[in-house]
Amino acid sequence: PAVNAGMCWMTALLYRTGAASKNQGDDTDYAFVGTISLCLTLLNIVCIFIGGRIMFALKEVAPIKNKNTFWSRDVKIARHPRRKEIAP
């Protein structure tokens, strides 16, 4: 969507300056379409950020017991590098 926004804005600029001409029957407002496309890009980034934060929160608060020692033991060791081992 980000590339699409730039291409739509460039097309709108070319049409407004007269450097290019529209095809017959093309009544698309490319500046508006580019703005909508950029909004979709920003919404996508926000959704990925929120989803990532939720997943990290879920893994930290509610790790799966006896399934994976990474979240229950290894993360604690990594947070406290001076400790050699933490008993499970």
Side-chain angles (χ1 to χ4, degrees), residues 6 10-11 21 30 35 42-43 48 53-55 63 83 86 88:
M10 191 63 194
T11 302
S21 60
Y30 288 101
T35 303
L42 297 175
L43 180 65
I48 290 170
R53 297 289 293 186
I54 289 171
M55 288 308 295
R83 295 183 189 177
I86 296 177

Side-chain angles (χ1 to χ4, degrees), residues 41-85:
T41 301
L42 297 175
L43 180 65
N44 190 14
I45 292 169
V46 168
C47 287
I48 290 170
F49 178 77
I50 291 172
R53 297 289 293 186
I54 289 171
M55 288 308 295
F56 279 127
L58 287 175
K59 285 300 228 177
E60 185 68 23
V61 173
I64 299 171
K65 299 290 182 188
N66 299 324
K67 177 86 174 176
N68 191 348
T69 59
F70 175 75
W71 294 105
S72 61
R73 186 178 67 87
D74 296 339
V75 171
K76 290 178 184 177
I77 292 171
R79 286 190 179 152
H80 304 288
R82 293 183 191 158
R83 295 183 189 177
K84 295 284 184 187
E85 184 177 334

